Amino acid sequence: AMLRRAAKQLATYAFDAATARGAAASSTSRTFSSSAAHATTVLCVRKDGEVVVMADGQVTLGSQVIKPNVKKVRRLQGGVVGGFAGATADAFTLFERLEMKLEEHPGQLTRAAVELAKAWRNDKYLRRLEATMVVADKHHTFQITGGGDVIEPHDGVIGIGSGGPYATAAARALVDIDGMDALAIAKKAMNIAADTCVYTNHNFIIESIGPSDEVGGGDAAKKGDEKGGKEKK
């Protein structure tokens, strides 16, 4: 009887240990996926009628830098610019869906963003996509997530990705300084984020909307290769 009880206790301990290992492995997998989906920095700054969306170019897989110059921002139709943090293929799928919503609701970024967030949350295929988006036009800036969130910043500054909090904090500290336009603020803030976040480099790609840009128009993309990250004075 004692042997049977001992064997039963050993079996119980072995089962509990295996369950704990499985839970730990699952948690590690989710953590890695989450960190991989946000290993970048994208920043949007709005000031004095100018909107700048800037992102770094680094792609990281675990501890390895896969590519240093990926374009994570793009100009969409209807005078909308956007950037993403997450899987590239997933982000482009979402950009295509957003463009479809903009075709259905031309000139209405707010409605298009809400409709995309609803579809992203409810669609069985879209809900598997791992990315976060920042989109902006002349009047609005939104962060869109797969959880159904459509967030508009109160001060015109928003950052996503692993370096997003650093870039956002730096930009908010600079936004009230006279003589610094949206582009200068974004560059300085992104340099700070790139110096702080190991998943962010200094190869910046920029899309902007100026005060005089017409809806659906705008200048071509401004590409910045801010290697070294320090502006010469």
Side-chain angles (χ1 to χ4, degrees):
M2 294 180 61
L3 288 174
R4 282 197 299 270
R5 285 197 298 269
K8 186 176 181 180
Q9 289 178 349
L10 287 173
T12 302
Y13 294 152
F15 176 79
D16 291 343
T19 302
R21 285 195 300 270
S26 177
S27 175
T28 303
S29 176
R30 287 194 299 271
T31 301
F32 174 78
S33 177
S34 175
S35 64
H38 298 283
T40 188
T41 302
V42 180
L43 176 68
C44 180
V45 178
R46 181 186 297 272
K47 183 178 181 181
D48 297 333
E50 182 183 13
V51 183
V52 174
V53 179
M54 182 181 295
D56 77 304
Q58 181 170 307
V59 173
T60 308
L61 181 61
S63 59
Q64 183 180 4
V65 176
I66 302 299
K67 194 172 181 180
N69 59 347
V70 171
K71 184 177 181 181
K72 303 173 187 175
V73 297
R74 60 180 296 188
R75 184 175 293 273
L76 308 176
Q77 65 179 16
V80 177
V81 295
F84 69 89
T88 303
D90 292 355
F92 279 110
T93 299
L94 293 167
F95 275 135
E96 290 174 0
R97 291 299 184 104
L98 179 58
E99 289 185 316
M100 292 171 59
K101 299 299 182 182
L102 288 170
E103 289 178 357
E104 296 175 9
H105 312 290
Q108 302 179 61
L109 177 60
T110 301
R111 184 170 181 181
V114 170
E115 292 296 326
L116 175 63
K118 288 165 58 178
W120 192 351
R121 181 176 178 84
N122 297 325
D123 188 275
K124 291 182 179 180
Y125 168 70
L126 291 180
R127 73 176 58 167
R128 297 173 178 267
L129 303 182
E130 294 186 358
T132 302
M133 303 171 62
V134 168
V135 294
D137 63 5
K138 290 184 66 175
H139 306 290
H140 302 284
T141 303
F142 297 111
Q143 177 183 352
I144 310 174
T145 72
D149 299 316
V150 180
I151 303 169
E152 184 171 15
H154 67 282
D155 56 359
V157 176
I158 193 165
I160 60 174
S162 56
Y166 311 121
T168 301
R172 285 176 174 166
L174 298 170
V175 74
D176 292 329
I177 297 179
D178 294 334
M180 291 192 73
D181 59 12
L183 181 59
I185 292 169
K187 282 185 176 180
K188 182 64 176 177
M190 284 293 292
N191 277 315
I192 292 172
D195 289 339
T196 308
C197 176
V198 297
Y199 297 110
T200 303
N201 65 12
H202 291 86
N203 294 332
F204 302 142
I205 303 295
I206 307 167
E207 289 281 3
S208 65
I209 303 173
S212 61
D213 286 352
E214 297 293 334
V215 174
D219 297 330
K222 299 177 183 177
K223 297 185 178 180
D225 190 353
E226 303 290 336
K227 294 184 178 179
K230 306 296 182 184
E231 293 187 50
K232 296 181 180 179
K233 297 183 179 179

